[in-house]
Amino acid sequence: MDFEKVIDRNKTNSMKWDFVADRYGSSDLWPMWVADMDFQAPQPVLDAMQEVLNHGIFGYHRRPKSLREATTAWLQKRFDWKCDNDQLVFTPGVVPAISHLIQTFTNKDDGIIIQPPVYYPFYALINNNERKLLRNPLKETDNGFTVDLDDLEKKMQDGAKMLLLCSPHNPIGRVWSYQELDSIAKLCEKYNVFVVSDEIHADLVLEGKHIPFSKVAADRNVETITCMAPSKTFNLAALQLSYVVFEKKASQKAYEAHLQRQFVEIDNPFATVAAEAAYREGEAWLEKLLEYVRENVQYVKEYIESNIPEMKVIKPEGTYLVWVDMRNLNMESSKLQSWLREEGKLALSDGHIFGDEGAGFARINVACPRENVDEGLRRLKNAYDNM
């Protein structure tokens, strides 16, 4: 795979490229926002999907046992996490999966904890389901961001029913250590808090090692449900296939019954074969991708440090998303937002959408050819130089 190759995504109904004006108000902005990649999926994935297309019949489809086997083999190999095939429940995306988990295991006005600045759909998932939003902001230290355990315990004392854990964390890019995860698990055990762990970025670790929260929680009496997908890993988001890993059979049956009531059960054949091919034959591609993303992250860090010293790059340990601290520019969120669009001609993810704690930051997607990264950085520098 040539990750340097620039592929024109315009006029493909790409959310990132074709609908930037809908989100940002102008079509001449350079898009480095929504979290998908500007790279083609691995060749084995494309070949498997082509076979389905060549067959030409797209009738009702059931997921084969081989997809479950490929998925659990991947979890075992990548994370030393042994899961049985029947622990998996397939879903059309991690966000819908979490919404259904909230509906299944909590009631109206139950408290759900999030750890902002965090993936912004979490807010809507809680508010739209009429649950109580409990905020446990990450703690900013000289060594980066970590979990504020004292505040987390206070939120649990307030009667939280569920914790939505983002691991690795989006947008900060933290890959939580065993000690951090165990400290969270200890509190969850003490206060009987149910954990839904969004681990969609688990494969995209740049430094350290991803540890499934479920493995840590197994040492404690903490019910954990894990949400994962091949979508971020292999750039398959539009195929809408994810899965939920259950540790307790009773909870799994309750969730499956809820999905059946909603008629959420039919997959499409492209998603099935793409996911299986990715997990069986995509590892070499992934390792090359991670190497390329690491280089892009380092390039962005060095460029900004050299050319825009008022900005600070929070180097991610995981994901292909770079969290940039722009607070030293002394702009209010609305002004910073306007400056990035009007002067920088850039479409970045505004920090404030991840929570009030994200004000003054921006998230940059670097899962793209270096040429695209260069264009974005050039625009950012020009805006800074012309301030």
Side-chain angles (χ1 to χ4, degrees):
M1 173 66 190
D2 180 9
F3 293 106
E4 292 285 344
K5 181 182 178 183
V6 176
I7 300 172
D8 186 1
R9 296 184 65 188
N10 287 295
K11 299 180 181 178
T12 64
N13 293 317
S14 161
M15 181 185 295
K16 181 190 289 184
W17 288 85
D18 291 327
F19 291 88
V20 69
D22 289 4
R23 179 67 174 254
Y24 294 93
S26 177
S27 60
D28 64 345
L29 307 184
W30 193 247
M32 302 182 78
W33 59 295
V34 68
D36 69 9
M37 303 190 233
D38 291 327
F39 306 129
Q40 286 186 332
Q43 191 60 46
V45 171
L46 302 181
D47 292 342
M49 294 175 70
Q50 187 64 52
E51 285 188 23
V52 174
L53 181 63
N54 290 344
H55 185 256
I57 298 176
F58 313 113
Y60 291 111
H61 179 72
R62 297 294 297 270
R63 303 176 197 100
K65 182 181 178 181
S66 57
L67 173 59
R68 294 178 178 274
E69 293 170 344
T71 303
T72 54
W74 179 266
L75 297 177
Q76 176 73 54
K77 184 173 185 180
R78 299 294 294 189
F79 311 116
D80 191 27
W81 185 21
K82 181 172 176 54
C83 299
D84 294 332
N85 293 341
D86 60 5
Q87 286 179 248
L88 308 182
V89 176
F90 286 88
T91 53
V94 163
V95 173
I98 294 174
S99 184
H100 289 300
L101 288 167
I102 289 172
Q103 293 165 19
T104 304
F105 298 108
T106 67
N107 298 309
K108 183 178 178 181
D109 296 325
D110 279 347
I112 301 179
I113 300 171
I114 61 171
Q115 296 172 311
V118 72
Y119 183 52
Y120 53 87
F122 281 9
Y123 296 90
L125 287 171
I126 295 170
N127 292 329
N128 292 349
N129 282 301
E130 299 182 273
R131 272 52 171 179
K132 183 180 179 183
L133 180 68
L134 299 176
R135 300 158 56 86
N136 169 228
L138 297 182
K139 183 164 59 176
E140 191 173 1
T141 73
D142 292 339
N143 296 318
F145 289 84
T146 188
V147 176
D148 187 336
L149 293 170
D150 291 335
D151 181 73
L152 180 60
E153 182 165 20
K154 290 177 183 176
K155 297 302 185 297
M156 291 184 178
Q157 289 170 341
D158 288 342
K161 181 74 176 290
M162 179 181 286
L163 166 66
L164 293 188
L165 180 68
C166 194
S167 177
H169 193 279
N170 172 17
I172 301 297
R174 277 301 317 278
V175 173
W176 304 116
S177 68
Y178 179 88
Q179 290 74 19
E180 288 170 312
L181 294 174
D182 188 55
S183 296
I184 294 170
K186 184 177 180 180
L187 289 175
C188 291
E189 180 180 39
K190 181 177 180 180
Y191 293 101
N192 193 29
V193 173
F194 191 104
V195 178
V196 172
S197 188
D198 175 359
E199 302 188 16
I200 196 170
H201 292 279
D203 294 311
L204 298 167
V205 172
L206 309 176
E207 297 179 14
K209 181 179 180 181
H210 175 75
I211 304 170
F213 185 77
S214 186
K215 288 184 64 178
V216 179
D219 296 330
R220 301 188 180 276
N221 185 26
V222 180
E223 181 159 9
T224 303
I225 296 175
T226 307
C227 300
M228 306 184 88
S231 53
K232 299 296 182 188
T233 310
F234 299 104
N235 208 26
L236 307 176
L239 298 182
Q240 295 188 299
L241 182 143
S242 61
Y243 52 94
V244 182
V245 184
F246 285 85
E247 301 297 337
K248 292 189 175 182
K249 186 57 66 176
S251 295
Q252 182 174 341
K253 287 183 177 179
Y255 186 64
E256 289 173 332
H258 172 83
L259 294 183
Q260 287 168 4
R261 289 192 294 271
Q262 306 297 321
F263 288 87
V264 181
E265 58 182 9
I266 295 175
D267 199 3
N268 77 72
F270 291 101
T272 296
V273 300
E276 183 170 346
Y279 281 151
R280 291 194 187 281
E281 303 178 70
E283 189 169 40
W285 179 94
L286 174 59
E287 292 303 327
K288 291 178 182 177
L289 168 77
L290 292 173
E291 181 180 349
Y292 193 82
V293 171
R294 287 188 192 100
E295 292 173 355
N296 272 354
V297 167
Q298 186 62 28
Y299 180 74
V300 168
K301 186 175 189 298
E302 292 175 359
Y303 184 98
I304 288 179
E305 286 176 350
S306 298
N307 294 281
I308 315 175
E310 275 78 6
M311 295 184 187
K312 178 184 177 183
V313 172
I314 313 301
K315 191 174 182 181
E317 299 166 340
T319 81
Y320 47 72
L321 307 165
V322 179
W323 192 236
V324 181
D325 185 350
M326 302 183 179
R327 289 174 294 182
N328 283 339
L329 297 179
N330 295 315
M331 295 185 192
E332 301 249 346
S333 285
S334 58
K335 185 178 179 182
L336 177 61
Q337 179 177 298
S338 298
W339 179 74
L340 288 169
R341 291 160 180 53
E342 296 169 11
E343 303 300 325
K345 298 297 180 184
L346 282 166
L348 310 181
S349 294
D350 301 312
H352 68 87
I353 68 173
F354 300 94
D356 294 341
E357 296 78 8
F361 291 80
R363 192 189 74 176
I364 303 178
N365 180 350
V366 299
C368 55
R370 181 64 58 81
E371 182 178 325
N372 289 9
V373 175
D374 271 329
E375 177 62 21
L377 292 175
R378 182 189 66 78
R379 292 182 182 217
L380 189 60
K381 181 179 184 299
N382 284 346
Y384 174 76
D385 291 343
N386 293 327
M387 286 181 67

